[in-house]
Amino acid sequence: WSGSPVWSADGSTLAYAIAVDSPPNIAVRGNRGSGPERRLTKSPAIQYPSAFTPDARTILFRAFSSDTGWDLFTVAVDGSSQPQRLLQTPANEMDMSLSPDGRLLAYMSDESGRTEVYVSRYPEMSNRVVVSSGGGQRPLWRADGRELYFVGSGSRLMAATVSVAGGSPSVTPPSVLLQIP
């Protein structure tokens, strides 16, 4: 089984989850996806890629552990280092999206008791702000990084304007773009 494909911004590298001799772990293919497959991780934890950094040197991924549920990690595309913990809490952190400039990370967490969308500075994971209210999932940045889209409660596509002042993200209250059928 393989799935959850993610392309680098320049289209040179494809990352995906593959389950051959372990639960789904991270693999990559260079040369616009036609290069040989390279396994980056081999772990008993389920892992799914979510994003590349703008320079395509690092993959952000989520992994499941029985202790803390879903958590966020990074791994070097060239395989030069072991996966590094990005955010690990007792809550589930999932489905992340890195801003096009690589400065902000939007992700989902259920720490409030329901799944909400948050934005933090990347890679520090500091200055966190809540984007959604009443539930949110599947964050995705607009190509210029000035707006964040997500699915809000009631299956509504939402948009929030995001800016950075003094290193801290600032988010406007989200507006409804459309009702998802």
Side-chain angles (χ1 to χ4, degrees):
W1 178 89
S2 62
S4 301
V6 178
W7 286 100
S8 60
D10 65 2
S12 66
T13 308
L14 175 66
Y16 52 96
I18 186 165
V20 175
D21 53 0
S22 66
N25 277 200
I26 310 299
V28 294
R29 286 183 182 266
N31 197 24
R32 304 213 173 281
S34 65
E37 180 176 277
R38 287 187 301 111
R39 290 281 299 273
L40 292 183
T41 62
K42 188 171 181 185
S43 167
I46 298 169
Q47 302 172 341
Y48 296 109
S50 294
F52 279 86
T53 54
D55 63 8
R57 292 183 181 176
T58 304
I59 296 171
L60 287 73
F61 69 94
R62 60 187 168 114
F64 184 82
S65 78
S66 58
D67 296 338
T68 58
W70 290 102
D71 299 302
L72 309 182
F73 293 84
T74 63
V75 66
V77 172
D78 66 6
S80 63
S81 64
Q82 294 295 314
Q84 301 295 311
R85 179 181 27 239
L86 185 60
L87 185 61
Q88 188 173 32
T89 72
N92 288 298
E93 294 88 22
M94 308 165 275
D95 286 353
M96 63 189 127
S97 181
L98 188 62
S99 63
D101 66 4
R103 295 174 40 195
L104 298 173
L105 183 68
Y107 63 94
M108 296 169 21
S109 174
D110 65 2
E111 74 177 69
S112 70
R114 69 175 163 230
T115 303
E116 299 286 1
V117 175
Y118 297 86
V119 171
S120 289
R121 287 185 50 179
Y122 175 83
E124 305 88 4
M125 298 305 291
S126 62
N127 301 89
R128 183 181 77 160
V129 295
V130 180
V131 178
S132 61
S133 63
Q137 58 184 329
R138 303 190 57 121
L140 185 64
W141 292 95
R142 190 169 75 185
D144 65 6
R146 294 183 181 154
E147 199 165 43
L148 182 67
Y149 304 112
F150 64 94
V151 177
S153 63
S155 296
R156 298 173 300 164
L157 181 61
M158 310 291 289
T161 302
V162 181
S163 60
V164 178
S168 295
S170 175
V171 179
T172 63
S175 60
V176 178
L177 295 179
L178 58 94
Q179 181 69 39
I180 300 171

